[in-house]
Amino acid sequence: MAVMKDLRDSAYMTFYEYLDRLRKDLNEPTLNAMEGKAPDSEEEYLNARQALKQIFDKVDGESK
C-alpha cells in the first residue's frame, strides 16, 4: 500500500506513482500533472489508462 502524502493520493498508489506508470504504459514521457487523483484499484487504473490511450490515439491520428 502507498503512503498518502498528497490529497491526490489513494490507498492504492500515490499520484506520482500513477503519473509515472501512465508515462511508461502509454509511452508518453512528457505527460504532465493532470487533474484528478490516483486510482483506488488496479481495475480503476486500467480503465483510466484505456481512456487516455483512446484520447492519445485519436489526437495522434488527427495530426497525421
Side-chain angles (χ1 to χ4, degrees):
M1 292 283 173
V3 177
M4 293 179 66
K5 298 178 184 171
D6 186 306
L7 293 176
R8 299 171 295 181
D9 292 349
S10 73
Y12 182 67
M13 68 173 52
T14 69
F15 184 73
Y16 290 102
E17 288 170 333
Y18 177 48
L19 279 178
D20 287 343
R21 188 167 168 196
L22 284 173
R23 288 177 182 133
K24 181 180 175 186
D25 289 354
L26 296 172
N27 195 26
E28 293 285 344
T30 61
L31 181 66
N32 281 315
M34 40 190 236
E35 293 184 20
K37 67 180 231 51
D40 291 315
S41 66
E42 182 67 11
E43 180 181 7
E44 206 173 287
Y45 170 78
L46 293 173
N47 290 336
R49 184 188 70 185
Q50 182 62 29
L52 286 168
K53 182 178 182 331
Q54 289 174 347
I55 292 169
F56 288 131
D57 288 349
K58 183 176 181 181
V59 169
D60 288 344
E62 290 174 358
S63 65
K64 290 182 180 179

